[in-house]
Short mmCIF file of all heavy atoms in Angstrom, two decimals:
data_model
loop_
_atom_site.label_atom_id
_atom_site.label_comp_id
_atom_site.label_asym_id
_atom_site.label_seq_id
_atom_site.Cartn_x
_atom_site.Cartn_y
_atom_site.Cartn_z
N GLY T 9 7.80 20.55 9.35
CA GLY T 9 7.01 21.63 9.92
C GLY T 9 7.61 22.13 11.22
O GLY T 9 8.24 21.39 11.96
N ASP T 10 7.42 23.43 11.50
CA ASP T 10 8.03 24.02 12.69
C ASP T 10 7.35 25.36 12.96
O ASP T 10 6.46 25.78 12.21
CB ASP T 10 9.53 24.21 12.46
CG ASP T 10 10.33 24.23 13.74
OD1 ASP T 10 9.73 24.41 14.83
OD2 ASP T 10 11.57 24.10 13.67
N SER T 11 7.78 26.00 14.03
CA SER T 11 7.33 27.35 14.34
C SER T 11 8.45 28.32 13.98
O SER T 11 9.59 28.15 14.44
CB SER T 11 7.00 27.47 15.83
OG SER T 11 5.93 26.63 16.17
N VAL T 12 8.13 29.33 13.18
CA VAL T 12 9.13 30.31 12.75
C VAL T 12 8.53 31.70 12.83
O VAL T 12 7.30 31.86 12.91
CB VAL T 12 9.62 30.05 11.31
CG1 VAL T 12 10.33 28.72 11.22
CG2 VAL T 12 8.48 30.12 10.32
N GLN T 13 9.39 32.71 12.76
CA GLN T 13 8.91 34.08 12.72
C GLN T 13 8.66 34.51 11.28
O GLN T 13 9.23 33.96 10.33
CB GLN T 13 9.95 35.00 13.37
CG GLN T 13 10.10 34.73 14.87
CD GLN T 13 10.51 35.98 15.62
OE1 GLN T 13 11.23 36.81 15.08
NE2 GLN T 13 10.06 36.10 16.86
N ALA T 14 7.81 35.50 11.13
CA ALA T 14 7.50 36.04 9.81
C ALA T 14 8.80 36.46 9.11
O ALA T 14 9.70 37.02 9.72
CB ALA T 14 6.56 37.23 9.93
N GLY T 15 8.86 36.16 7.81
CA GLY T 15 10.05 36.44 7.02
C GLY T 15 11.02 35.28 6.96
O GLY T 15 11.97 35.30 6.16
N GLY T 16 10.80 34.27 7.79
CA GLY T 16 11.68 33.12 7.83
C GLY T 16 11.38 32.11 6.74
O GLY T 16 10.52 32.32 5.88
N SER T 17 12.10 30.99 6.80
CA SER T 17 11.97 29.94 5.79
C SER T 17 11.84 28.58 6.45
O SER T 17 12.32 28.37 7.58
CB SER T 17 13.20 29.93 4.88
OG SER T 17 13.34 31.12 4.15
N LEU T 18 11.21 27.68 5.74
CA LEU T 18 11.13 26.28 6.14
C LEU T 18 11.23 25.42 4.88
O LEU T 18 10.89 25.89 3.78
CB LEU T 18 9.80 25.97 6.83
CG LEU T 18 9.61 26.39 8.29
CD1 LEU T 18 8.19 26.09 8.74
CD2 LEU T 18 10.62 25.69 9.19
N ARG T 19 11.66 24.18 5.07
CA ARG T 19 11.68 23.22 3.97
C ARG T 19 10.94 21.98 4.42
O ARG T 19 11.39 21.29 5.36
CB ARG T 19 13.10 22.86 3.57
CG ARG T 19 13.21 22.08 2.28
CD ARG T 19 14.60 21.56 2.05
NE ARG T 19 14.84 21.15 0.68
CZ ARG T 19 15.75 20.25 0.32
NH1 ARG T 19 16.51 19.68 1.24
NH2 ARG T 19 15.92 19.95 -0.95
N LEU T 20 9.82 21.70 3.75
CA LEU T 20 9.04 20.51 4.05
C LEU T 20 9.48 19.37 3.13
O LEU T 20 9.86 19.61 1.98
CB LEU T 20 7.55 20.78 3.87
CG LEU T 20 6.95 21.95 4.63
CD1 LEU T 20 5.44 21.99 4.42
CD2 LEU T 20 7.29 21.91 6.10
N SER T 21 9.39 18.15 3.64
CA SER T 21 9.70 16.96 2.86
C SER T 21 8.51 16.01 2.89
O SER T 21 7.79 15.94 3.89
CB SER T 21 10.93 16.25 3.42
OG SER T 21 12.07 17.08 3.37
N CYS T 22 8.35 15.27 1.82
CA CYS T 22 7.32 14.23 1.74
C CYS T 22 7.95 13.01 1.10
O CYS T 22 8.34 13.05 -0.08
CB CYS T 22 6.14 14.72 0.91
SG CYS T 22 4.91 13.42 0.58
N VAL T 23 8.08 11.95 1.87
CA VAL T 23 8.67 10.72 1.37
C VAL T 23 7.56 9.76 0.96
O VAL T 23 6.65 9.48 1.75
CB VAL T 23 9.56 10.06 2.45
CG1 VAL T 23 10.12 8.74 1.94
CG2 VAL T 23 10.69 11.00 2.85
N ALA T 24 7.65 9.27 -0.26
CA ALA T 24 6.65 8.35 -0.80
C ALA T 24 7.17 6.93 -0.76
O ALA T 24 8.30 6.66 -1.19
CB ALA T 24 6.29 8.74 -2.23
N SER T 25 6.35 6.04 -0.25
CA SER T 25 6.68 4.62 -0.23
C SER T 25 5.79 3.90 -1.22
O SER T 25 4.58 4.14 -1.29
CB SER T 25 6.46 4.03 1.17
OG SER T 25 7.23 4.70 2.12
N ARG T 26 6.39 2.97 -1.99
CA ARG T 26 5.65 2.15 -2.95
C ARG T 26 4.89 3.03 -3.93
O ARG T 26 3.71 2.77 -4.22
CB ARG T 26 4.73 1.18 -2.22
CG ARG T 26 5.51 0.09 -1.48
CD ARG T 26 4.55 -0.87 -0.78
NE ARG T 26 3.95 -0.30 0.40
CZ ARG T 26 4.53 -0.24 1.58
NH1 ARG T 26 5.74 -0.72 1.74
NH2 ARG T 26 3.90 0.29 2.62
N TYR T 27 5.56 4.07 -4.45
CA TYR T 27 4.98 4.93 -5.47
C TYR T 27 6.00 5.08 -6.58
O TYR T 27 7.18 5.25 -6.31
CB TYR T 27 4.65 6.31 -4.87
CG TYR T 27 3.23 6.74 -5.11
CD1 TYR T 27 2.24 6.50 -4.14
CD2 TYR T 27 2.85 7.36 -6.29
CE1 TYR T 27 0.93 6.87 -4.36
CE2 TYR T 27 1.54 7.74 -6.51
CZ TYR T 27 0.58 7.50 -5.54
OH TYR T 27 -0.72 7.86 -5.75
N PRO T 28 5.57 5.06 -7.84
CA PRO T 28 6.53 5.26 -8.93
C PRO T 28 7.09 6.67 -8.93
O PRO T 28 6.54 7.57 -8.29
CB PRO T 28 5.69 4.99 -10.19
CG PRO T 28 4.28 5.22 -9.78
CD PRO T 28 4.21 4.84 -8.32
N SER T 29 8.18 6.89 -9.64
CA SER T 29 8.81 8.22 -9.67
C SER T 29 8.63 8.89 -11.03
O SER T 29 9.25 9.92 -11.30
CB SER T 29 10.30 8.12 -9.34
OG SER T 29 10.94 7.24 -10.25
N SER T 30 7.76 8.36 -11.86
CA SER T 30 7.46 8.98 -13.14
C SER T 30 5.98 8.82 -13.44
O SER T 30 5.33 7.89 -12.94
CB SER T 30 8.29 8.33 -14.25
OG SER T 30 8.09 8.98 -15.48
N ASN T 31 5.45 9.78 -14.23
CA ASN T 31 4.01 9.81 -14.52
C ASN T 31 3.20 9.84 -13.24
O ASN T 31 2.18 9.14 -13.09
CB ASN T 31 3.60 8.63 -15.39
CG ASN T 31 4.20 8.72 -16.78
OD1 ASN T 31 4.39 9.81 -17.31
ND2 ASN T 31 4.56 7.58 -17.33
N VAL T 32 3.69 10.63 -12.30
CA VAL T 32 3.04 10.78 -11.00
C VAL T 32 2.87 12.26 -10.72
O VAL T 32 3.76 13.06 -10.99
CB VAL T 32 3.89 10.15 -9.89
CG1 VAL T 32 3.34 10.50 -8.50
CG2 VAL T 32 3.95 8.65 -10.06
N CYS T 33 1.73 12.61 -10.17
CA CYS T 33 1.47 13.97 -9.73
C CYS T 33 1.51 13.99 -8.21
O CYS T 33 0.79 13.21 -7.57
CB CYS T 33 0.11 14.45 -10.23
SG CYS T 33 -0.37 16.08 -9.62
N MET T 34 2.33 14.86 -7.65
CA MET T 34 2.38 15.01 -6.20
C MET T 34 2.11 16.47 -5.85
O MET T 34 2.50 17.38 -6.58
CB MET T 34 3.74 14.60 -5.65
CG MET T 34 4.06 13.14 -5.88
SD MET T 34 5.56 12.60 -5.03
CE MET T 34 5.04 12.65 -3.31
N GLY T 35 1.42 16.67 -4.75
CA GLY T 35 1.03 18.03 -4.40
C GLY T 35 1.13 18.31 -2.92
O GLY T 35 1.17 17.39 -2.09
N TRP T 36 1.18 19.58 -2.60
CA TRP T 36 1.11 20.08 -1.24
C TRP T 36 -0.20 20.85 -1.08
O TRP T 36 -0.51 21.71 -1.89
CB TRP T 36 2.28 21.00 -0.92
CG TRP T 36 3.59 20.31 -0.76
CD1 TRP T 36 4.59 20.22 -1.68
CD2 TRP T 36 4.05 19.62 0.40
NE1 TRP T 36 5.65 19.51 -1.16
CE2 TRP T 36 5.35 19.12 0.12
CE3 TRP T 36 3.52 19.36 1.66
CZ2 TRP T 36 6.10 18.40 1.05
CZ3 TRP T 36 4.25 18.64 2.57
CH2 TRP T 36 5.53 18.16 2.27
N PHE T 37 -0.91 20.53 -0.01
CA PHE T 37 -2.16 21.20 0.29
C PHE T 37 -2.15 21.68 1.72
O PHE T 37 -1.54 21.07 2.59
CB PHE T 37 -3.35 20.25 0.08
CG PHE T 37 -3.52 19.85 -1.35
CD1 PHE T 37 -2.82 18.76 -1.87
CD2 PHE T 37 -4.38 20.54 -2.19
CE1 PHE T 37 -2.96 18.39 -3.20
CE2 PHE T 37 -4.54 20.18 -3.52
CZ PHE T 37 -3.83 19.10 -4.02
N ARG T 38 -2.84 22.77 1.96
CA ARG T 38 -3.03 23.22 3.33
C ARG T 38 -4.44 22.82 3.75
O ARG T 38 -5.42 23.16 3.07
CB ARG T 38 -2.84 24.73 3.47
CG ARG T 38 -2.88 25.18 4.92
CD ARG T 38 -2.49 26.64 5.06
NE ARG T 38 -3.46 27.53 4.43
CZ ARG T 38 -3.33 28.85 4.41
NH1 ARG T 38 -2.27 29.42 4.99
NH2 ARG T 38 -4.23 29.62 3.82
N GLN T 39 -4.50 22.10 4.85
CA GLN T 39 -5.77 21.53 5.29
C GLN T 39 -6.18 22.13 6.63
O GLN T 39 -5.46 21.98 7.62
CB GLN T 39 -5.64 20.01 5.40
CG GLN T 39 -6.90 19.32 5.87
CD GLN T 39 -7.97 19.30 4.81
OE1 GLN T 39 -7.84 18.61 3.79
NE2 GLN T 39 -9.04 20.05 5.02
N ALA T 40 -7.32 22.79 6.66
CA ALA T 40 -7.88 23.29 7.91
C ALA T 40 -9.07 22.41 8.27
O ALA T 40 -9.79 21.93 7.39
CB ALA T 40 -8.32 24.74 7.76
N PRO T 41 -9.31 22.18 9.56
CA PRO T 41 -10.43 21.30 9.97
C PRO T 41 -11.75 21.77 9.39
O PRO T 41 -12.12 22.94 9.50
CB PRO T 41 -10.42 21.42 11.49
CG PRO T 41 -9.02 21.80 11.83
CD PRO T 41 -8.56 22.68 10.71
N GLY T 42 -12.47 20.85 8.78
CA GLY T 42 -13.80 21.16 8.26
C GLY T 42 -13.81 21.96 6.98
O GLY T 42 -14.88 22.37 6.51
N LYS T 43 -12.63 22.21 6.38
CA LYS T 43 -12.57 23.00 5.16
C LYS T 43 -11.96 22.19 4.02
O LYS T 43 -11.28 21.19 4.26
CB LYS T 43 -11.75 24.27 5.39
CG LYS T 43 -12.40 25.27 6.35
CD LYS T 43 -11.64 26.58 6.37
CE LYS T 43 -12.34 27.60 7.24
NZ LYS T 43 -11.64 28.91 7.24
N GLU T 44 -12.20 22.66 2.82
CA GLU T 44 -11.60 22.02 1.65
C GLU T 44 -10.09 22.25 1.65
O GLU T 44 -9.63 23.31 2.07
CB GLU T 44 -12.19 22.60 0.37
CG GLU T 44 -13.64 22.21 0.10
CD GLU T 44 -13.72 20.76 -0.30
OE1 GLU T 44 -13.10 20.39 -1.29
OE2 GLU T 44 -14.41 19.99 0.40
N PRO T 45 -9.32 21.28 1.19
CA PRO T 45 -7.87 21.50 1.09
C PRO T 45 -7.56 22.64 0.12
O PRO T 45 -8.19 22.75 -0.94
CB PRO T 45 -7.34 20.16 0.54
CG PRO T 45 -8.42 19.17 0.79
CD PRO T 45 -9.70 19.92 0.74
N GLU T 46 -6.61 23.48 0.49
CA GLU T 46 -6.16 24.57 -0.39
C GLU T 46 -4.90 24.11 -1.12
O GLU T 46 -3.95 23.68 -0.49
CB GLU T 46 -5.82 25.80 0.43
CG GLU T 46 -6.98 26.43 1.17
CD GLU T 46 -6.49 27.62 1.99
OE1 GLU T 46 -6.07 27.39 3.15
OE2 GLU T 46 -6.50 28.74 1.48
N GLY T 47 -4.91 24.23 -2.41
CA GLY T 47 -3.78 23.80 -3.23
C GLY T 47 -2.63 24.77 -3.15
O GLY T 47 -2.76 25.90 -3.58
N VAL T 48 -1.50 24.33 -2.61
CA VAL T 48 -0.32 25.16 -2.46
C VAL T 48 0.59 25.01 -3.67
O VAL T 48 0.98 26.00 -4.30
CB VAL T 48 0.44 24.79 -1.18
CG1 VAL T 48 1.71 25.61 -1.04
CG2 VAL T 48 -0.46 24.97 0.05
N ALA T 49 0.96 23.77 -3.99
CA ALA T 49 1.87 23.52 -5.11
C ALA T 49 1.71 22.08 -5.55
O ALA T 49 1.32 21.22 -4.75
CB ALA T 49 3.32 23.79 -4.71
N ALA T 50 2.04 21.82 -6.80
CA ALA T 50 2.01 20.45 -7.31
C ALA T 50 3.13 20.29 -8.32
O ALA T 50 3.57 21.27 -8.95
CB ALA T 50 0.66 20.14 -7.94
N ILE T 51 3.56 19.06 -8.47
CA ILE T 51 4.61 18.76 -9.46
C ILE T 51 4.23 17.47 -10.17
O ILE T 51 3.88 16.47 -9.55
CB ILE T 51 6.00 18.66 -8.77
CG1 ILE T 51 7.09 18.43 -9.81
CG2 ILE T 51 6.03 17.59 -7.68
CD1 ILE T 51 8.51 18.66 -9.25
N TYR T 52 4.27 17.53 -11.50
CA TYR T 52 3.96 16.38 -12.33
C TYR T 52 5.29 15.81 -12.79
O TYR T 52 6.01 16.47 -13.56
CB TYR T 52 3.08 16.80 -13.49
CG TYR T 52 2.57 15.67 -14.36
CD1 TYR T 52 2.42 14.39 -13.86
CD2 TYR T 52 2.23 15.90 -15.68
CE1 TYR T 52 1.94 13.36 -14.64
CE2 TYR T 52 1.75 14.89 -16.48
CZ TYR T 52 1.61 13.62 -15.95
OH TYR T 52 1.14 12.59 -16.74
N LEU T 53 5.63 14.64 -12.31
CA LEU T 53 6.91 14.01 -12.61
C LEU T 53 6.82 13.28 -13.94
O LEU T 53 5.97 12.38 -14.09
CB LEU T 53 7.28 13.03 -11.50
CG LEU T 53 7.29 13.60 -10.08
CD1 LEU T 53 7.57 12.50 -9.07
CD2 LEU T 53 8.32 14.71 -9.95
N ARG T 54 7.66 13.69 -14.87
CA ARG T 54 7.65 13.08 -16.19
C ARG T 54 9.08 12.82 -16.63
O ARG T 54 10.00 13.57 -16.30
CB ARG T 54 6.99 14.00 -17.22
CG ARG T 54 5.63 14.53 -16.86
CD ARG T 54 5.05 15.36 -17.99
NE ARG T 54 5.98 16.37 -18.46
CZ ARG T 54 5.85 17.03 -19.61
NH1 ARG T 54 4.83 16.75 -20.41
NH2 ARG T 54 6.73 17.94 -19.96
N ASP T 55 9.29 11.76 -17.42
CA ASP T 55 10.63 11.46 -17.95
C ASP T 55 11.14 12.59 -18.81
O ASP T 55 12.34 12.87 -18.87
CB ASP T 55 10.59 10.16 -18.74
CG ASP T 55 10.38 8.95 -17.85
OD1 ASP T 55 10.68 9.05 -16.63
OD2 ASP T 55 9.91 7.92 -18.34
#
Side-chain angles (χ1 to χ4, degrees):
D10 205 344
S11 296
V12 296
Q13 294 209 327
S17 297
L18 282 175
R19 191 190 197 205
L20 306 185
S21 299
C22 172
V23 178
S25 301
R26 291 181 285 279
Y27 233 94
S29 58
S30 184
N31 294 327
V32 170
C33 175
M34 296 188 70
W36 287 100
F37 294 86
R38 187 172 66 180
Q39 179 73 68
K43 293 189 176 182
E44 289 288 301
E46 296 178 272
V48 177
I51 183 166
Y52 186 26
L53 306 176
R54 308 184 309 165
D55 291 338

